[in-house]
Amino acid sequence: MTSEQTEHDLSTDTQIGLTSDAAAVLLARVGPNELPRPPRRPWWRLLISQVTHFFAVLLWVAAALALLAGMPTLAVAIAVIVVLNGLFAYAQEHRADQAAQKLGTLMPVNTRVVRDGRLQEVPAPDVVPGDVVLLEAGDRVPADGTLILSEEVTADESMLTGESVPVRKPAGAVVRAATFLVQGSGRVLVTTTGGQTEVASVAGLISSAHRPPSPLSLELDRLVRFIAVVALTVGVVLGVISLLLGGTATGALLFAVGVSVALVPEGLLPTVTLSLARGAQRMAESNALVRHLEAVETLGSTTFICTDKTGTLTRNEMTVTEVWTPHGRVVPRGDGYEPTGTVSGEPAAVRTAAEAAVAARACVTGRAILEDGIWQPSGDPMEVALDVLAARFDIEVTDPTIRIPFVTERRFSAAVVGEQSYFLGAPERILPACAEPGAAATSVLDAYADQGRRVVAVARAATRLPQPTTAEELAALLDEPMELLALLAIEDPPREGVREALESCRTAGIRVAMMTGDNARTAAAIATEVGLLRPGGVVVEGDSLPTEDAALANLLDDPLGAVVARVTPADKLRIANALRLHGHVVAMTGDGVNDAAALRGADVGVAMGLGGSDVARDAADLVLLDDHFATIVKAIELGRATYANIRRFLTFHLTDNVAELAPFAVWALSGGSVPAALSVLQILALDIGTDMLPALALGAEPPSKRTMEGPRGRERVASGSVLRRAFLVLGPIEAVAAVAAFVWVLTGGGWELGETPGAALLARGSGTAFAVIAVAQVANAFACRSESRAAWRVDPRRNPLVLVAVAVEVVLLAAFLGLPWLSDLLGGSWPSGAGWVWALVTGIALLLGDGLHKARRAARRRSRAT
């Protein structure tokens, strides 16, 4: 608060408020009561970024070179690929930077203030320090201030504090902008507005938090740079060789350009994008909405999940799970806030529990209400749970004649029902006034606390005193002896499937920590109940976190689980950054405004779609449509599958590149004595024509049963195993077979080394080499479906898209070689029968070679394991 604001706060007459003139002067001086909004990235810049990243630039250069080489059709085809891919990616991500923009929607449009001694409604941006604001249940607080009058005020501050339970606000308490009143009414003296409010500081955190580059983008950047260097190097070397063999400078340049363009995998970019889109579609089918495509793969790389408690691990439904009475325990059962249910226990215990339930209901105002056929909470969730409890005893309830609301100073509420006075409050406040049962109740209370349950005590006046007629007379009864009726154990039950999902995380080598605004004891009990926290795990409150990032990461990186209670927005952002520096890929969940900065700063931000704020959803990469932790784990499984699919079709692409490069390498190494088996256009027909659909089909391979078994390897997308398999096994089989088939056709037609073959013979040899590579790539599509199992051990029905893609590839192959105008354009003619046999044998050889390679790898892994 500034000194200027303090001066006006102190000078305000709370009965007449500010004058309109004074408010106008203040408004001009301190500015409107609006949250600062960072500048938005223009849509055109976002669009341009999708077509100007490194790989896109490489393809633009390839298109320009193709145009220079006299191949305008190719240039247009490459340009269309880049533009369509960019538009598709833009359509998926155009809302990426809207998080802070939604902060303004948290503020009310209008608010009621006292000015010039009378009640007025003014626009919320016109509120200034010193204004007296009137609030009622359901109103959103327009600015930070102090309650000068509180009538049973309870405020929901979860979006700022993470605390799941509404907070009682007596006179003198501070209320914050963007929070809202759950119940009660009051008057607030405004102390801070606009950019000085606490919610504005959250906006600053969001703006300062930058989304880190995804592992996939880093991997693809490395791969594309490697491919670019190889393509340009090979093009230059072959161009120089052409020149040395007597070619013209223009011819050598065009040849170098053509080879370089041919070696750039034009199909890789759309294949990656569409594979990610397919993964995003699968996640959406599993109630996980992806907002940024790269997050699909990043999820698969996740090694640490920081999760909320309320609504994610739990159902966010306060429920009375047990009633302890001096006569025994009673267990109520029911579904959520549905009033109908059953109770079980000894008759005496049930009678006492029923009286306690009716008494507790009389002391509170929260109720379960029916909306659109669904029972919903209205008011404090804990009070609603007490209303539901009373309904489940199926006895008549009577409204109280007098009720005292709960306030922090008293720590109890009270009510008169008929001729009896009842009290509801914190056990430590009620139990000392009860003569019996003393030690037994304390023991039960300790047991409930260890289970993480919230406990309230219900008592009645032990003696018949004159009927109280005022709240003061009723409060005085607390000093008289009381009779304990019951202890009510209340909990937010865990969601179904959470324990299994957490166990799946452990199996997959993924660490999990709970981040919550609740107290440590409750949070630890819930974490233990669902299996997140094991004996010896970490439990720490936010103000006790280490100040050094390395020490913070070491503390939380515990295989037994971790719980961070009373966590602040800045804590969550620092935790995400510390764990990332520690080598983890971090997924951070959240639902409130206070979570937005951490969601943006984590590798993957995961927001709640049902109970979350717009700010959190817009800051996130993934939105859970069902707010369920198990959905995160399912999304990680699909992300891992997508990562594996990228490796599959990358192996497929690189194998093809080896086979395409071989004819030019043989031509260069033979000093031009052996003609090039393929033309540049034939290579492009393989890249964009026959290979595209099988690669896309490999990108749609469903997760295997072993996807979540063990930590995901730290191997890069283009890892050593991928490169060895493509460059030393699959690629050489295709390359040798294609070149050998080409030379076999030429020699069979009478050609000798160093001679220039006739046009018809050269076309038949080139067509045969083309067919060998295309058929081998059909086999390669089946071989690449698994990195560890031979093709014949993989069920073809699990991915029918591969069968469809292969069928289309065969049709395209027949068209490229059988249609005269296409074969003349590409430079290859229909092979002989023997040539087709050669192609089929090559496909079989590739499958056998791949199976042998996988068997040897498996044997080496077994020997290392023993």
Side-chain angles (χ1 to χ4, degrees), residues 728-818:
L728 300 180
V729 181
L730 302 175
I733 291 175
E734 286 191 19
V736 170
V739 173
F742 175 71
V743 173
W744 171 72
V745 171
L746 293 188
T747 55
W751 171 82
E752 293 184 359
L753 188 65
E755 293 182 352
T756 301
L761 180 62
L762 181 62
R764 188 165 69 250
S766 185
T768 302
F770 185 91
V772 167
I773 294 176
V775 172
Q777 282 293 86
V778 168
N780 193 25
F782 292 103
C784 288
R785 290 191 61 201
S786 172
E787 291 190 47
S788 59
R789 291 180 294 164
W792 53 86
R793 297 180 57 195
V794 181
D795 187 353
R797 295 170 297 180
R798 275 179 51 82
N799 188 1
L801 291 178
V802 170
L803 299 176
V804 174
V806 163
V808 174
E809 181 177 5
V810 171
V811 172
L812 288 175
L813 173 60
F816 288 151
L817 295 177

Side-chain angles (χ1 to χ4, degrees), residues 205-342:
L205 281 175
I206 297 173
S207 300
S208 64
H210 299 288
R211 184 173 290 109
S214 71
L216 178 62
S217 64
L218 296 175
E219 286 294 300
L220 289 179
D221 185 65
R222 294 189 192 98
L223 176 63
V224 169
R225 291 177 188 275
F226 170 75
I227 291 174
V229 170
V230 170
L232 292 175
T233 300
V234 171
V236 170
V237 169
L238 294 182
V240 170
I241 292 175
S242 175
L243 192 63
L244 294 176
L245 292 176
T248 65
T250 302
L253 175 62
L254 294 179
F255 182 66
V257 168
V259 171
S260 297
V261 171
L263 292 180
V264 173
E266 291 83 4
L268 182 60
L269 183 62
T271 303
V272 170
T273 301
L274 291 174
S275 178
L276 294 176
R278 174 58 177 162
Q281 179 186 353
R282 284 178 170 168
M283 290 182 184
E285 293 169 355
S286 299
N287 290 318
L289 180 64
V290 175
R291 297 189 64 252
H292 307 104
L293 280 184
E294 288 184 352
V296 173
E297 187 277 334
T298 309
L299 269 166
S301 304
T302 298
T303 60
F304 205 109
I305 302 175
C306 299
T307 178
D308 278 349
K309 174 181 72 69
T310 304
T312 307
L313 299 176
T314 65
R315 295 171 58 182
N316 197 21
E317 293 180 355
M318 300 297 281
T319 303
V320 179
T321 57
E322 189 170 279
V323 180
W324 180 88
T325 75
H327 305 290
R329 299 174 189 262
V330 175
V331 179
R333 293 183 177 87
D335 183 18
Y337 293 116
E338 171 69 45
T340 59
T342 61

Side-chain angles (χ1 to χ4, degrees), residues 508-557:
I510 299 170
R511 302 283 169 84
V512 183
M514 177 192 289
M515 308 284 162
T516 178
D518 285 345
N519 69 73
R521 194 166 186 174
T522 299
I526 292 294
T528 302
E529 182 178 359
V530 299
L532 185 153
L533 187 69
R534 293 184 174 180
V538 174
V539 180
V540 61
E541 293 199 347
D543 57 6
S544 300
L545 292 172
T547 56
E548 296 292 330
D549 285 349
L552 174 60
N554 285 326
L555 174 68
L556 300 182
D557 193 5

Side-chain angles (χ1 to χ4, degrees), residues 423-802:
F423 299 86
L424 170 74
E428 54 268 31
R429 181 70 175 89
I430 300 295
L431 289 180
C434 300
E436 297 292 341
T442 302
S443 175
V444 172
L445 179 63
D446 291 340
Y448 285 152
D450 289 338
Q451 296 167 11
R453 299 183 185 182
R454 193 182 303 272
V455 183
V456 293
V458 184
R460 67 185 174 193
T463 59
R464 293 285 181 177
L465 297 176
Q467 182 75 10
T469 58
T470 66
E472 289 72 17
E473 292 177 357
L474 180 58
L477 293 180
L478 190 63
D479 296 324
E480 301 294 332
M482 288 196 300
E483 183 179 346
L484 180 67
L485 291 177
L487 295 176
L488 310 182
I490 306 170
E491 72 171 5
D492 183 4
R495 280 180 175 268
E496 294 181 3
V498 165
R499 175 175 287 275
E500 293 78 8
L502 286 164
E503 189 59 37
S504 179
C505 286
R506 280 202 170 84
T507 302
I510 299 170
R511 302 283 169 84
V512 183
M514 177 192 289
M515 308 284 162
T516 178
D518 285 345
N519 69 73
R521 194 166 186 174
T522 299
I526 292 294
T528 302
E529 182 178 359
V530 299
L532 185 153
L533 187 69
R534 293 184 174 180
V538 174
V539 180
V540 61
E541 293 199 347
D543 57 6
S544 300
L545 292 172
T547 56
E548 296 292 330
D549 285 349
L552 174 60
N554 285 326
L555 174 68
L556 300 182
D557 193 5
D558 193 315
L560 299 176
V563 172
V564 184
R566 303 300 186 193
V567 70
T568 67
D571 289 336
K572 297 184 77 170
L573 180 58
R574 192 165 75 87
I575 288 169
N577 290 333
L579 290 171
R580 287 179 50 240
L581 292 174
H582 201 58
H584 281 291
V585 176
V586 181
M588 176 74 71
T589 74
D591 55 5
V593 176
N594 63 316
D595 296 320
L599 294 178
R600 193 172 178 86
D603 293 286
V604 181
V606 183
M608 305 299 112
L610 292 177
S613 66
D614 285 343
V615 177
R617 286 192 287 269
D618 285 334
D621 304 284
L622 187 77
V623 177
L624 302 184
L625 302 181
D626 58 1
D627 291 8
H628 201 313
F629 180 83
T631 302
I632 303 175
V633 180
K634 181 62 177 178
I636 290 175
E637 180 184 20
L638 293 170
R640 285 191 173 192
T642 301
Y643 178 85
N645 290 345
I646 293 174
R647 288 169 59 92
R648 288 184 177 103
F649 64 67
L650 180 60
T651 304
F652 182 83
H653 275 302
L654 294 179
T655 300
D656 198 28
N657 282 1
V658 173
E660 293 166 353
L661 177 60
F664 296 103
V666 170
W667 170 82
L669 293 174
S670 68
S673 299
V674 178
L678 297 175
S679 68
V680 171
L681 288 180
Q682 281 178 312
I683 290 177
L684 292 167
L686 288 169
D687 276 344
I688 302 176
T690 59
D691 285 355
M692 180 71 79
L693 287 179
L696 292 174
L698 288 172
E701 194 73 26
S704 71
K705 296 179 180 179
R706 295 178 293 175
T707 300
M708 294 293 284
E709 291 182 3
R712 204 198 79 174
R714 294 298 183 110
E715 289 186 322
R716 295 177 175 178
V717 173
S719 65
S721 61
V722 168
L723 297 178
R724 284 191 297 272
R725 189 174 169 211
F727 292 154
L728 300 180
V729 181
L730 302 175
I733 291 175
E734 286 191 19
V736 170
V739 173
F742 175 71
V743 173
W744 171 72
V745 171
L746 293 188
T747 55
W751 171 82
E752 293 184 359
L753 188 65
E755 293 182 352
T756 301
L761 180 62
L762 181 62
R764 188 165 69 250
S766 185
T768 302
F770 185 91
V772 167
I773 294 176
V775 172
Q777 282 293 86
V778 168
N780 193 25
F782 292 103
C784 288
R785 290 191 61 201
S786 172
E787 291 190 47
S788 59
R789 291 180 294 164
W792 53 86
R793 297 180 57 195
V794 181
D795 187 353
R797 295 170 297 180
R798 275 179 51 82
N799 188 1
L801 291 178
V802 170

